[in-house]
């Protein structure tokens, strides 16, 4: 089922204003204008790909300027960009418009407006104002919003992209943010833990000096041993990480080869290609698990006629149980189906074959 997308904008005359956009999405989507957002930027040099979401959530809880907040986050290069909004204000606007019962995916306007490529300071037009951006290595490191001098209508707002120009890390949902008291408590607990660790280290060092009579010498020895242990741990960690990564890659390749070994891929691609070509789409991804096939298709131009494409796939002989998966972008679609009619007859392994018989003379 398709849903209308809405834009929430503010101006000095009418305050918060909700207006529908001429597009539909698979999930209810709310686009928040830049005027509702507070921007922060945090360096994240050396951050691994799988650590980005957790790091973004931690930084959002630390930097959130509202007691109940929402946040979008994205990483470009070595810079984490965060846009905060007051979730209470957004919820009130939705309830006032009679849409408070819908589970809207929230995404900020700057993530749907491609920033300038060149480094430096640029002024970008946004709804009801101007966003003054500071760009460094493709990332936004500074953003200041200024309201327009004259009132503007939603029709004059700049166009938006269908998809964010950088991967959004927090899912576009309103977060029940930590209060200032909770954050203060967490910081105090960390300070208390650090104090206990420091006290334990001081007592241990004092006892060693008392027993050995050579405090400075023992401190130097402990420092050298700690340095050697850290270096050994680092090398061991690198070796374990490389071994685990190699094992995971090998396992994935072997598993995928076994899963797709029984399918007649060339025949399946011929049948699929004919149907996709008739509907003006091409294959962007193909995944095979036994008899189950997942196909991601992308339009060569314009929106996909989903009912026609679904009917065409269902009509392929040997294909059963065709299912359309959710997708917010109408220029692409993903299908799952069973392909028992395309399974090849595999030869039994050598040890399972019947031994050759020698004729009796």
């Amino acid at each position: 089922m398709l849903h209308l997308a809405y834009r929430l904008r503010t101006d000095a005359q009418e305050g918060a204003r909700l207006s529908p956009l001429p597009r539909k999405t698979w999930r209810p989507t709310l686009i928040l204008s830049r005027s509702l957002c507070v921007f922060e930027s945090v360096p994240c040099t050396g951050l691994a790909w799988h650590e980005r979401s957790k790091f973004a959530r931690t930084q959002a809880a630390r930097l959130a300027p509202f007691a109940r907040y929402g946040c979008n986050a994205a990483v470009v290069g070595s810079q984490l960009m965060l846009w905060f909004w007051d979730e209470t204000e957004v919820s009130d606007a939705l309830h006032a418009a009679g849409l408070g019962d819908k589970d809207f995916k929230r995404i900020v306007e700057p993530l749907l407006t491609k920033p300038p490529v060149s480094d430096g300071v640029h002024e970008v037009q946004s709804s009801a104002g101007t966003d003054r951006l500071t760009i460094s290595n493709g990332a936004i490191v500074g953003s200041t919003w200024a309201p327009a001098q004259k009132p503007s209508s939603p029709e004059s707002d700049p166009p938006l992209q269908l998809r964010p120009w950088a991967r959004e890390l927090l899912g576009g949902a309103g977060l029940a943010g930590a209060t200032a008291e909770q954050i203060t408590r967490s910081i105090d607990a960390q300070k208390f833990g650090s104090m206990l660790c420091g006290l334990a280290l001081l007592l241990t060092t004092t006892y060693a000096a008392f027993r050995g009579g050579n405090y400075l010498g023992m401190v130097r020895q402990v420092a050298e041993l700690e340095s050697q242990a850290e270096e050994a741990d680092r090398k061991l960690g690198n070796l374990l990480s490389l071994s685990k990564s190699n094992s995971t890659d090998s396992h994935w390749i072997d598993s995928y080869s076994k899963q797709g070994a029984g399918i007649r891929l060339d025949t399946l691609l011929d049948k699929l290609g004919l149907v996709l070509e008739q509907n003006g789409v091409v294959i962007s991804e193909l995944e095979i698990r036994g008899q189950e096939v997942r196909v991601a298709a992308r339009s060569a131009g314009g929106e996909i006629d989903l009912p026609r494409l679904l009917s065409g796939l269902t009509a392929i002989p040997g294909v059963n149980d065709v299912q359309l998966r959710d997708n917010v972008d109408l220029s692409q679609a993903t299908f799952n189906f069973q392909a028992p009619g395309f399974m090849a007859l595999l030869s039994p392994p050598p040890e399972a074959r019947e031994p050759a018989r020698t004729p009796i003379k």
Side-chain angles (χ1 to χ4, degrees):
M1 179 179 178
L2 296 178
H3 302 269
L4 279 175
Y6 292 86
R7 172 184 261 163
L8 181 61
R9 69 198 300 273
T10 60
D11 54 48
Q13 288 73 26
E14 300 184 9
R17 183 177 177 183
L18 197 67
S19 57
L21 296 176
R23 72 166 74 169
K24 291 187 176 181
T25 56
W26 290 108
R27 178 181 172 186
T29 301
L30 180 65
I31 299 170
L32 305 175
S33 68
R34 175 63 182 87
S35 58
L36 292 165
C37 304
V38 176
F39 178 79
E40 293 286 350
S41 180
V42 179
C44 55
T45 305
L47 188 67
W49 179 270
H50 65 277
E51 297 172 336
R52 290 184 173 182
S53 295
K54 184 177 180 180
F55 180 75
R57 194 170 295 274
T58 302
Q59 295 303 317
R62 182 177 69 89
L63 298 171
F66 309 106
R68 183 167 175 259
Y69 69 94
C71 182
N72 282 162
V75 171
V76 173
S78 59
Q79 202 73 23
L80 171 66
M81 302 167 292
L82 301 137
W83 290 269
F84 296 94
W85 63 85
D86 187 344
E87 183 59 27
T88 300
E89 181 182 2
V90 172
S91 297
D92 290 345
L94 289 174
H95 281 90
L99 298 171
D101 58 337
K102 288 186 176 293
D103 181 21
F104 280 99
K105 174 184 178 181
R106 293 151 170 78
I107 186 163
V108 295
E109 182 182 18
L111 272 176
L112 298 178
T113 306
K114 185 69 175 177
V117 177
S118 59
D119 290 354
V121 179
H122 306 268
E123 289 190 353
V124 177
Q125 189 68 29
S126 65
S127 58
T130 303
D131 195 3
R132 186 178 177 86
L133 301 177
T134 303
I135 308 296
S136 176
N137 296 323
I140 302 174
V141 297
S143 174
T144 304
W145 184 82
Q149 298 297 327
K150 298 179 180 180
S152 61
S153 63
E155 291 75 15
S156 63
D157 290 342
L160 302 175
Q161 298 182 163
L162 291 175
R163 304 185 65 178
W165 54 271
R167 177 173 171 262
E168 206 286 306
L169 300 171
L170 299 181
L175 304 175
T179 63
E181 181 182 356
Q182 290 171 330
I183 294 174
T184 303
R185 249 187 240 155
S186 175
I187 294 173
D188 290 343
Q190 292 176 3
K191 288 181 178 178
F192 182 68
S194 299
M195 182 183 67
L196 288 180
C197 291
L199 180 60
L201 180 60
L202 176 61
L203 291 175
T204 303
T205 306
T206 304
Y207 179 74
F210 172 75
R211 296 291 296 175
N214 189 4
Y215 173 75
L216 294 177
M218 292 188 68
V219 169
R220 284 195 295 268
Q221 292 177 10
V222 169
E224 291 176 359
L225 291 174
E226 287 179 348
S227 176
Q228 294 173 6
E230 289 177 359
E231 181 65 17
D233 287 344
R234 185 185 65 79
K235 292 181 179 179
L236 180 59
N238 290 341
L239 290 174
L240 292 176
S241 176
L242 290 173
S243 176
K244 182 178 179 181
S245 175
N246 181 59
S247 176
T248 302
D249 292 345
S250 300
H251 176 74
W252 185 89
I253 293 173
D254 293 342
S255 176
Y256 193 83
S257 299
K258 292 177 181 177
Q259 290 168 0
I263 203 84
R264 290 182 293 178
L265 186 58
D266 53 346
T267 307
L268 176 61
L269 288 177
D270 289 342
K271 299 295 183 181
L272 281 177
L274 181 61
V275 174
L276 297 179
E277 182 180 354
Q278 292 173 350
N279 287 271
V281 296
V282 295
I283 296 177
S284 59
E285 294 182 20
L286 178 65
E287 182 179 0
I288 301 172
R289 293 179 178 274
Q291 294 186 10
E292 185 176 356
V293 180
R294 182 181 71 84
V295 176
R298 183 177 294 276
S299 172
E303 296 182 356
I304 300 175
D305 187 346
L306 293 177
R308 180 184 174 192
L309 180 55
L310 183 62
S311 176
L313 292 174
T314 305
I316 296 177
V319 169
N320 299 329
D321 192 20
V322 182
Q323 298 179 2
L324 173 64
R325 299 178 62 177
D326 286 346
N327 197 313
V328 297
D329 189 351
L330 298 183
S331 65
Q332 62 182 10
T334 303
F335 297 89
N336 284 7
F337 57 83
Q338 301 289 330
F342 293 90
M343 297 301 294
L345 295 176
L346 301 180
S347 301
E351 60 272 13
R353 298 174 187 165
E354 185 177 358
R357 299 181 181 274
T358 304
I360 301 176
K361 296 181 179 181

